[in-house]
Amino acid sequence: MEQFVRKRLTFLTSFWNKLRPRSVTESCSLGYLGSDSVSLNSEATSISFIPKSSLCIALYAFTARSASELSISAGDKLRVLREEGEYVLARRLLGEPAMGYVPAAYVANLSQGTSAHRPWYFSKISRNEAEQLLLSPPNQHGSFLVRDSESSKGEYSLSVRNHTKVSHFRICKSPRGSLYIQKGHPFPNMEELLAFYTEHWKVIQSPLLQPCSPATPPERDGWERPRWEFTLRRKLGEGYFGEVWEGLWRNTVPVAIKIIKADMKAEDFTKEIQNLKRLRHEKLIQLHAVCSLEEPVYIITELMRKGNLHSYLNSPEGKSLGTSHLLNIACQVADGMRYLEEKHIVHRDLAARNILVGEELTCKIADFGLARLLKDDIYSTSSSTKIPVKWTAPEAANYRTYSLKSDVWSYGILLYEVFTYGQIPYEGMTNQETVRQITRGYRLPRPSPCPPEIYSIMLECWSGNTEERPTFLALREKLGFIYRRLLSSLS
Ligand SMILES: Nc1ncnc2c1ncn2[C@@H]1O[C@H](COP(=O)(O)OP(=O)(O)OP(=O)(O)O)[C@@H](O)[C@H]1O
């Protein structure tokens, strides 16, 4: 009834307000949802009537990458419905009604006072954090912030950068609520206190020139996903960087999840991630996502159900493959390598153990941990990275000079693995012996199921003269031709 009369008989508003003052809850939540021009003071009032954690402001712009995410602009007001890992589910309060996930680090709780209207208020940061922030770019001499005092609850501290140092001033609160730095010089609110010391900065010998800039947003790119989206199902294997699990993405998409060991150096595995991010080809393992903002880091790639090619060739299913299937595998790997060749990327660890097998004999190249972009067609390393000697060309094993031609040598060894159903090359020989024999001109013998035509390709790959080794483009064409000819002879 009251609502009806208020709405219809607006000229009686002042009378109604005297008779039955409107409830604060009602007016505040309406103000919040319906207007963009809510001042900080009115926010402060409304916050006490709506669960504190739910009202937030966007600190940075974020562009949604999927239908489940919400694009926001810096300054947008949001209602956070729940927190999920590194993301929050939020509803935009103004403009087009929209809801979705945004990174938690991109929003700040309004009850903590972070607001476009009080850019100098940094609420819960510590004295040390304040110093670090003020002393790092883009902050400079005269940058300042107000934070909650660590030692006196309910009071504040003013931190000001003075050239290369930071000075801190306690802002005390009198029993009547006024604020002061110097006893006997109170101000009714923080704005007035700061206005006074901005003008009379000499009193504190620290000029207040500009509010502190917040830290730049944490680096995120389109690959970063919240961890809760992934569930681990079954351990598939283990490598140098950690365990690999079969898992599900959002309970629907099957994926492989590499869980990086906590003691791994970030620079080592980030190389693999960077390579996966910039390469895309149907014969290269596809990166789906990463969870890299906290440990353990997850690298999520497509799931190849039949595991690595070396184990697969040794399995009953692998052992039953005929020559045409083996040739098909060889063609797929050559195709993936041709793509890397085109991009001037040297893999450095091409071997059957680093090829993954999926349904219908799909093969994809994996393990880009050692892959490098070639500057002058040759990559030299002085580091003593563990070398898979039996797969490595002599010039790379002896002098650490890697090139696409050393990958071609490794490809020849991979052909040998394929046509021997996963036998170890140079079986019974040590690494040292292998290098010695190779340098003397020894080459692996032709495996019995291997057609002479394919064996002569292997020998070309193992030419001592790098120039005489074929390119991957030539290998793909030659093997493709032999494969098609074989298929037509079978049909
Ligand atoms: N995407 C995937 N799909 C299915 N199985 C996988 C996938 N990635 C890895 N695996 C399995 O997990 C095993 C370990 O993989 P991982 O890449 O960690 O190590 P690796 O290739 O054996 O060697 P390295 O120590 O050089 O990393 C692989 O041999 C393979 O069997």
Side-chain angles (χ1 to χ4, degrees), residues 233-234 236 244-248 253-257 285-286 288 300-307 356-359 362 364:
R233 282 287 180 87
R234 183 171 68 96
L236 294 172
V244 180
W245 284 68
E246 180 185 325
L248 280 181
V253 186
V255 288
I257 303 172
I285 201 79
Q286 181 59 51
H288 280 328
I300 295 105
T301 60
E302 61 185 310
L303 176 68
M304 301 295 282
R305 291 199 181 273
K306 301 201 169 163
L356 294 170
V357 185
E359 300 300 344
T362 311
K364 302 202 180 198

Side-chain angles (χ1 to χ4, degrees), residues 178-445:
S178 57
L179 302 169
Y180 62 90
I181 290 182
Q182 303 155 277
K183 241 190 173 145
H185 206 148
F187 297 89
N189 56 45
M190 193 67 82
E191 282 78 2
E192 286 188 37
L193 180 147
L194 291 174
F196 176 84
Y197 288 103
T198 302
E199 197 177 335
H200 305 281
W201 63 270
K202 285 197 171 144
V203 178
I204 52 172
Q205 300 203 339
S206 306
L208 309 184
L209 299 180
Q210 63 280 319
C212 174
S213 291
T216 43
E219 208 176 292
R220 282 166 193 273
D221 56 26
W223 300 103
E224 190 67 43
R225 303 296 314 178
R227 197 178 297 270
W228 58 263
E229 288 185 356
F230 304 95
T231 37
L232 304 177
R233 282 287 180 87
R234 183 171 68 96
K235 187 173 158 181
L236 294 172
E238 195 163 354
Y240 177 68
F241 291 122
E243 295 179 351
V244 180
W245 284 68
E246 180 185 325
L248 280 181
W249 186 355
R250 288 182 177 260
N251 275 328
T252 42
V253 186
V255 288
I257 303 172
K258 194 180 267 194
I259 306 174
I260 304 295
K261 281 186 230 160
D263 57 350
M264 286 316 299
K265 272 200 289 174
E267 62 191 274
D268 288 337
F269 62 82
T270 45
K271 271 180 219 140
E272 176 154 347
I273 303 180
Q274 293 313 329
N275 283 321
L276 282 168
K277 280 181 184 172
R278 64 202 167 107
L279 301 170
R280 184 176 283 268
H281 187 268
E282 57 167 340
K283 296 297 162 205
L284 262 52
I285 201 79
Q286 181 59 51
L287 178 71
H288 280 328
V290 294
C291 306
S292 65
L293 300 181
E294 54 193 52
E295 288 189 346
V297 169
Y298 282 7
I299 302 177
I300 295 105
T301 60
E302 61 185 310
L303 176 68
M304 301 295 282
R305 291 199 181 273
K306 301 201 169 163
N308 74 66
L309 178 61
H310 181 257
S311 319
Y312 176 72
L313 288 168
N314 275 295
S315 71
E317 188 179 319
K319 292 232 178 292
S320 70
L321 298 177
T323 309
S324 65
H325 296 120
L326 301 179
L327 249 177
N328 180 311
I329 292 171
C331 288
Q332 294 187 58
V333 178
D335 195 25
M337 287 308 296
R338 183 213 41 89
Y339 169 80
L340 291 184
E341 181 175 74
E342 204 176 272
K343 298 259 170 226
H344 299 280
I345 287 172
V346 58
H347 187 287
R348 296 208 293 161
D349 199 7
L350 186 57
R353 63 182 172 276
N354 288 330
I355 305 295
L356 294 170
V357 185
E359 300 300 344
E360 296 179 11
L361 211 57
T362 311
C363 292
K364 302 202 180 198
I365 302 168
D367 231 333
F368 295 92
L370 296 177
R372 290 286 185 288
L373 177 66
L374 291 172
K375 293 235 166 69
D376 312 307
D377 279 354
I378 287 187
Y379 173 85
S380 300
T381 171
S382 52
S383 79
S384 56
T385 320
K386 257 189 150 187
I387 296 176
V389 171
K390 292 185 174 182
W391 281 260
T392 305
E395 73 280 3
N398 292 326
Y399 312 110
R400 312 259 202 276
T401 49
Y402 290 88
S403 65
L404 282 157
K405 296 297 187 189
S406 56
D407 275 352
V408 170
W409 179 289
S410 311
Y411 179 79
I413 305 290
L414 185 143
L415 279 182
Y416 177 88
E417 293 183 275
V418 169
F419 283 91
T420 55
Y421 296 92
Q423 254 181 41
I424 305 285
Y426 314 99
E427 209 154 20
M429 283 162 80
T430 63
N431 283 346
Q432 264 183 339
E433 235 177 299
T434 305
V435 175
R436 205 174 325 116
Q437 292 293 352
I438 290 295
T439 315
R440 283 192 192 148
Y442 171 81
R443 295 296 182 264
L444 284 163

